[in-house]
Amino acid sequence: MIKLLEFSELVEATFLHRPNRFLVKVIYNSKEIYCHLHNPGRLSELLVPRAPLLILFRNGRRKTLCDVIAVKKDNEWIFTHSGYHSLIARRIIELGLIKELRRFIEIVPEYKFGSSRIDFLLKGDDEKLLLEVKGCTLFRGLIGYFPDAPTARGTRHLIELIKALGYGMHSGILFLVMKKDIIEVRPNWDTDPRFAEILVKAYKKGVKMFAHTFYFDGSSLYAVREIKVNPLGK
């Protein structure tokens, strides 16, 4: 495993409820406080009453005092803060942990293409690849599923990745899987059949699909291994 991120000031709290998409109420030091939840997913399998959380207090003028970094599920910390996804993806690309992306030597973040901003444009000697990054925190057995909530934005990104193929570019999607023992990623047909359909279409058109697993020990996030994406799996 390769260490990617380290946090020195995380503290444990207890989840109470989620008033809205980006806000949770927690108990910390015997007091009820609100924390920012930087994750657009439902996280319904993780955010159950009394679930242990790891939170990070922030300085500055903000509506909330802290951010949720991870949630404990089945005695394992699951890293949930999607604000770190671009940094994590960039580091594993730079370290050469995604074999097929090793030939790209330049990384351009937040690349405007069509009506969207795609996470990265990768440049090689004579080729370019648009790469969108998605986080996976829904697991059933040894399988990871994406998305855990309907994502019109994610579907739009896939459509742009398909279009990029017609402009002489490569394109791909990278799933960051926040559980170390997952063996493959599949589309979540039950939650978002439209995304699943477009993912299959993208695969058949030639959009590359990558996935990598991670392990969070409560203070550090480690890259574990590259795994496969199975867009045809149910």
Side-chain angles (χ1 to χ4, degrees):
M1 296 192 298
I2 299 175
K3 184 187 291 188
L4 301 177
L5 298 175
E6 186 172 9
F7 299 84
S8 60
E9 299 177 347
L10 297 183
V11 295
E12 192 163 334
T14 302
F15 173 72
L16 291 178
H17 69 97
R18 186 180 186 178
N20 62 49
R21 192 179 183 190
F22 296 110
L23 190 69
V24 295
K25 180 182 275 191
V26 308
I27 298 176
Y28 169 69
N29 200 19
S30 300
K31 296 180 180 180
E32 295 185 4
I33 62 173
Y34 287 98
C35 288
H36 178 64
L37 180 67
H38 198 301
N39 193 305
R42 288 175 176 161
L43 304 181
S44 55
E45 291 79 8
L46 299 178
L47 292 176
V48 297
R50 313 298 298 184
L53 309 177
L54 287 174
I55 62 176
L56 178 66
F57 281 90
R58 298 288 196 186
N59 296 321
R61 298 178 62 183
R62 295 179 49 180
K63 292 182 180 179
T64 54
L65 298 172
C66 52
D67 292 336
V68 176
I69 300 297
V71 182
K72 184 172 277 189
K73 172 73 171 178
D74 298 331
N75 209 35
E76 182 176 348
W77 289 112
I78 306 300
F79 192 90
T80 57
H81 196 306
S82 60
Y84 291 90
H85 286 176
S86 289
L87 175 60
I88 294 166
R90 182 169 192 134
R91 289 189 176 178
I92 65 171
I93 294 167
E94 291 173 339
L95 289 168
L97 301 185
I98 304 296
K99 296 184 181 73
E100 197 169 337
L101 300 181
R102 289 174 183 169
R103 67 186 187 273
F104 295 97
I105 56 177
E106 183 180 352
I107 302 175
V108 180
E110 293 293 315
Y111 187 77
K112 181 80 165 57
F113 183 84
S115 61
S116 300
R117 285 196 177 274
I118 304 300
D119 286 312
F120 298 109
L121 172 67
L122 308 183
K123 296 181 179 181
D125 290 336
D126 297 306
E127 57 184 339
K128 297 178 180 179
L129 185 146
L130 278 180
L131 184 69
E132 182 62 21
V133 178
K134 303 296 181 186
C136 177
T137 55
L138 174 61
F139 315 112
R140 297 171 188 152
L142 297 178
I143 308 300
Y145 290 87
F146 183 90
D148 83 332
T151 173
R153 182 171 180 266
T155 301
R156 186 174 71 249
H157 287 156
L158 281 177
I159 292 171
E160 299 290 12
L161 295 179
I162 294 170
K163 289 180 180 177
L165 300 175
Y167 287 85
M169 306 170 70
H170 303 289
S171 63
I173 185 167
L174 168 60
F175 294 98
L176 306 180
V177 184
M178 296 302 169
K179 199 170 189 295
K180 64 180 180 181
D181 58 352
I182 298 302
I183 60 173
E184 73 176 39
V185 177
R186 299 176 185 175
N188 190 346
W189 288 87
D190 293 335
T191 296
D192 195 337
R194 173 64 174 165
F195 177 89
E197 289 171 2
I198 300 301
L199 188 72
V200 171
K201 180 179 178 180
Y203 170 72
K204 291 180 177 179
K205 291 285 188 178
V207 175
K208 305 293 184 181
M209 299 190 179
F210 313 103
H212 205 286
T213 61
F214 300 86
Y215 169 66
F216 190 60
D217 67 2
S219 62
S220 298
L221 182 74
Y222 296 86
V224 181
R225 61 193 173 92
E226 187 176 1
I227 61 172
K228 67 180 180 178
V229 179
N230 181 5
L232 303 179
K234 296 290 183 78

